[in-house]
Structures are given as C-alpha cells and as structure tokens.
Amino acid sequence: MATGTSIRAAALAALIAVSWTVWRGAAVAGEAPVGDAPQAITVAASDFGSRHVALGVGKSVVIDFPRDLKDVLVADPTIANAVVRSSRRAYVIGSKVGQTNVFFFDAQGKQMAGFDIAVTRDLNGIRAAIRQVLPDPDVRVEGIGDGVILSGTAASQVEAQQAYDIAARLVGDGNKVVNAIVVRGRDEVMLKVTVAEVDRNVIKQLGINLSGSLSSGTAVVNFNNTNPFPVNGTTPSGSISGTFKGVTANLQAMEQIGLVRTLAEPTLTAISGESAHFLVGGMFPYPSITSCTTTPCPPTIQFQNFGVGLTFTPVVLSEGRISLNMLTEVSELDPQNSVTVSGTTVPGLSVRRASTTVEIPSGGSLAIAGMIQDETKQTITGLPGLMQLPILGTLFKSRDYLNDRTELVVLVTPYVVRAVAQKDLSRPDDGFADPSDPATVLLGRLNRIYGVGGTVDPPDDYHGKYGFILD
C-alpha cells in the first residue's frame, strides 16, 4: 500500500512540473500573460463535413447563406474562385481542371460552410450527345480530373460500346474514358457451322527401265536405265518384264484416283461479346529442343492441333442483327511436308483457313465458298538424247503426273437463342434398348425400340430414307 502511494505521488509531481514548464514557456513567448491560464488551440475551419460540388470548366454555382458573410477562403484560386456580390450570396466559378476547397466565415469568425470543389471538363456536351444517339439506355457521365467515367445500364453490348465511342471521340483520348456500363440482358448466340470439303487426286505413272547388253562383233553396249518418279516419291507397284536379245525391259505403270470427303457440323453457343472455340480432330506430338544443363539435351514433347476448328465472337446488334467475327480452319496431316527433328519424323500440316467479320440477321446464312485449290505436277525423266526420239524415246523415259483438286465450303448460320427447360430436350439414346439374343442372332436386330416412350407415333405419310445409316 505504501508503494502504490509513493508511485501516485511521484506521478503527480512530474505532471505539475511539466505543466509549469509549458505554461511558463508560453508566457515568455507572449502567448499568454503571466498569471493567465494556457489558451487552447482549435481548428476554425476544416473540410470535415464539407459538401462536394462538381463544376465544369467555365461553369459556376450560386450559394445563399442564412446570415451575413464576413470572410471567404479559397485554397487554390487558379482552380476555382469565389466572388461575394452581397452579404448573403456568393458565386463559385470553375477556372481549370483540378480540386480545391472553399470556406465561408461570418462576422464572429465562425465557419458557416465548407465546400470541396472538383472542377472537371464540361460534361454536358457528352451527356447530350449520348442521349441523342441512345435515348433508351440509362447512362450516367461523371468526371474525375480530366477523365470521364461512364456508368449505369444499357440494353446490349453494342449500346455500351456506342456510348464509349461517343465519349472517347468528344474527349479526344480513349484512355481517359472508363466504361463501367452494365449490360442488362446479354443475349446468347448459337452458331451452326457446316464445313464440307472434297479432295480429289489423280496419279499417273509410266516408265520403262532397261538393263542388259547388246553386242555386235567386238562392240558391246550395256543398258542400265532406272528412271525415278520424283513427283509422288513412290515407285509404281505394277510392272511387266520381258527380255529381248539379252536386254531386259521392265515396264512400270500405275494410275490412281482418290477421293476424300470431309464433313463437320459443329454447333456453339456464346454470350454476346464473348468468344467460343471448337475443335474436331486431334493432336500429334513433336519434339522441341530447349536449353538445358545436361548432355545430351533431351527434347521436350509438345503437341499441335489439327482437324476442323472454329472460333467466333458474336455481338448482338439492334433489331436482331448479329455482328459476327469468325475464324474457321481445316487442317490435316501431310507426310509430304514432314521434317525430321532429333531423329523423329514430324509430319507437316495442310491448312485451309478463312477469317471474316460480317453483319447478318438471326437465322440468316453465310457461305464462304470459292476456296478451290487445283495443283498439277508433272515430271518426265529419262536418258538425254534418246528420250527425245519420236516413238523409241518412250523406252528411255518415265512420266510422273499428279493432279490434286480441293474445294472447301463453309456455311454459317447464327441464331439469337434463349434458355430452354430440360424436359424440352432429348438425347439420341432416348428410348434405346438392347434386343434379346435370339432377335440379334436370328433376325439381325440391333435395337429393340428407338424413340421416346409414351409418345404418339407420327403419321406414316413419309416414304424414303431417314435416321442414321447403319453399314
């Protein structure tokens, strides 16, 4: 108990000493006469509780007061200026872009009002231009410094983009415009694409190889003529051989006609303004040499896509029209363009690609046609001099011929779609059931029923092929 009393007494003595030092120092400096109590320091005016006022450059605001004014303080008169015309009315005028504050005092020196002034560029012209072009959207235009913020809502992404374009054009710099407009209802676009390609190639190869010798007296002529086929890179498999007076003739001939049909019908759905990607095909690996610290350096395996690919970005415009940016690609492996990397043969790719941006109504179709490629290669090789003979020259030459024709057509149909209930959707296997073993073995049936159970069969008024074709 005695220890606690001693601590409180020491603290009280220290507090009295500090108070005496502060009071005496203030008296010496002339802040308070000797014998008077120390004066408290108060903040006469501050921006706490000040009202925010936004002004355009060259614009003004009129302020009325309940009692007479005595004094006014402007922090930065170059940004805004306050003019007092009467004892109870003041005018605040914006001069240049920036921020400042203004305080008003009465005759007793008390703060009557405080205003936080934000001077921005004049936004009335931007607001009027947006209302004139887009009367329906609820777009608000606010200014911060020399920048502009667009907020509110719009019916579509196109209207939001138009409001941004108008503001950027009037401001003069798109980097000073912030587009914070929220799209109320974002439409969804379904894109049905049909990619059809027909590739027809014709290969013709004909050549005669001679081997043997002809002798007349002491003169001997040796034949060893093997003609290459450089166009196709392969030797014809069909051959006919014959020998005449010690000379063997080997006739090599081949004619090949090939037809390749490619058909893909991808369907994608994307939100207006967003992108969607589709790929039907595969990926093949290829080695890639990277820097490493070990010897030998092992290659890194990477993969390359090939097949039928589709990338599109739809934007729904007014009245159901759709602005469509589309990229479609058809690629396939091409061994003729293969390369060897680190001992691994990597096949090349044969690519057909089309990219376009169009405006099309919902349900309308776009055809990208005319992508026709006709390639012809022909090489005649043989023995110089003898191959130019009119008829006998055929024995000393070979012909390698290749004709490759490709035609690609892409049909695109966009639709503005809405969500549907799950009960309105069906799968290809609805109502499917495996048949019994006797029905499969004896009757050759692959399924028992096909269709949705409980539904009425359609009238039998169609005659022809329908459904899937089972080979």
Side-chain angles (χ1 to χ4, degrees):
M1 185 68 180
T3 303
T5 304
S6 301
I7 293 175
R8 287 194 296 271
L12 180 60
L15 178 62
I16 294 173
V18 172
S19 302
W20 169 258
T21 303
V22 173
W23 176 79
R24 188 172 182 275
V28 172
E31 296 180 1
V34 178
D36 294 342
Q39 299 295 320
I41 300 175
T42 60
V43 178
S46 67
D47 56 358
F48 179 77
S50 297
R51 301 179 183 179
H52 177 75
V53 177
L55 285 178
V57 177
K59 302 293 183 178
S60 62
V61 62
V62 181
I63 305 173
D64 290 332
F65 297 92
R67 57 183 186 272
D68 293 345
L69 294 173
K70 180 62 177 179
D71 194 10
V72 60
L73 173 63
V74 180
D76 191 349
T78 62
I79 296 177
N81 193 12
V83 179
V84 178
R85 293 294 184 181
S86 64
S87 59
R88 296 193 177 187
R89 172 169 292 184
Y91 305 90
V92 179
I93 305 172
S95 301
K96 69 176 184 179
V97 176
Q99 289 186 346
T100 185
N101 51 8
V102 181
F103 300 103
F104 296 93
F105 303 92
D106 58 8
Q108 286 75 29
K110 296 181 179 180
Q111 178 182 351
M112 296 179 61
F115 297 94
D116 187 7
I117 308 297
V119 181
T120 62
R121 62 174 67 248
D122 187 14
L123 305 177
N124 291 332
I126 300 177
R127 295 190 182 101
I130 293 178
R131 284 195 301 268
Q132 182 178 1
V133 177
L134 306 173
D136 295 334
D138 182 17
V139 178
R140 295 185 295 272
V141 182
E142 304 294 337
I144 295 181
D146 60 347
V148 175
I149 296 180
L150 303 179
S151 60
T153 59
S156 64
Q157 185 67 29
V158 177
E159 294 182 350
Q161 184 64 32
Q162 288 179 347
Y164 171 80
D165 294 339
I166 293 173
R169 185 64 179 269
L170 296 179
V171 170
D173 186 1
N175 296 328
K176 296 182 179 180
V177 179
V178 178
N179 189 359
I181 300 176
V182 178
V183 179
R184 291 192 296 269
R186 304 190 68 179
D187 296 321
E188 294 184 359
V189 178
M190 181 183 70
L191 192 68
K192 296 184 64 176
V193 179
T194 300
V195 180
E197 182 183 20
V198 175
D199 187 357
R200 180 178 182 271
N201 58 77
V202 178
I203 298 176
K204 295 180 181 180
Q205 293 177 323
L206 178 63
I208 298 177
N209 298 330
L210 300 177
S211 62
S213 60
L214 292 177
S215 60
S216 177
T218 59
V220 179
V221 179
N222 295 321
F223 292 91
N224 189 8
N225 180 27
T226 302
N227 296 317
F229 297 90
V231 172
N232 296 284
T234 58
T235 303
S237 58
S239 62
I240 299 176
S241 300
T243 303
F244 179 75
K245 291 185 179 182
V247 178
T248 301
N250 185 13
L251 175 64
Q252 293 181 326
M254 183 188 72
E255 183 174 356
Q256 175 180 315
I257 299 177
L259 181 65
V260 179
R261 174 177 176 264
T262 302
L263 177 63
E265 293 182 328
T267 300
L268 289 179
T269 302
I271 299 176
S272 176
E274 301 295 334
S275 299
H277 180 70
F278 180 88
L279 176 65
V280 175
M283 304 174 68
F284 66 89
Y286 65 93
S288 176
I289 303 299
T290 58
S291 60
C292 59
T293 58
T294 61
T295 303
C297 184
T300 302
I301 302 301
Q302 298 183 1
F303 292 86
Q304 173 65 39
N305 298 329
F306 70 94
V308 178
L310 170 66
T311 301
F312 80 103
T313 304
V315 177
V316 179
L317 307 177
S318 59
E319 300 179 357
R321 299 189 65 83
I322 301 173
S323 176
L324 185 64
N325 179 271
M326 184 187 64
L327 171 64
T328 181
E329 177 180 307
V330 178
S331 58
E332 61 183 357
L333 298 180
D334 188 2
Q336 296 182 0
N337 296 326
S338 61
V339 296
T340 302
V341 180
S342 299
T344 303
T345 301
V346 181
L349 286 178
S350 176
V351 181
R352 280 81 67 197
R353 182 183 295 118
S355 177
T356 183
T357 301
V358 295
E359 183 177 329
I360 189 172
S362 177
S365 296
L366 167 68
I368 304 178
M371 301 176 65
I372 301 175
Q373 180 181 359
D374 191 347
E375 182 181 2
T376 301
K377 295 181 181 179
Q378 184 171 203
T379 302
I380 297 178
T381 58
L383 192 63
L386 297 179
M387 61 180 294
Q388 277 80 24
L389 296 177
I391 297 177
L392 296 179
T394 307
L395 301 175
F396 303 94
K397 65 183 178 182
S398 65
R399 177 188 181 222
D400 197 3
Y401 172 82
L402 172 65
N403 178 252
D404 192 356
R405 294 181 180 179
T406 302
E407 182 175 1
L408 175 65
V409 176
V410 180
L411 303 178
V412 181
T413 305
Y415 297 92
V416 178
V417 296
R418 298 290 184 270
V420 298
Q422 185 178 3
K423 62 182 182 62
D424 298 331
L425 302 176
S426 61
R427 304 192 314 267
D429 61 340
D430 287 342
F432 178 84
D434 293 328
S436 61
D437 291 341
T440 303
V441 175
L442 300 178
L443 302 179
R445 294 180 179 176
L446 298 178
N447 62 284
R448 185 182 303 168
I449 59 175
Y450 193 85
V452 180
T455 59
V456 180
D457 293 336
D460 189 12
D461 57 354
Y462 175 78
H463 302 280
K465 297 181 179 180
Y466 59 92
F468 292 98
I469 299 175
L470 302 178
D471 295 333

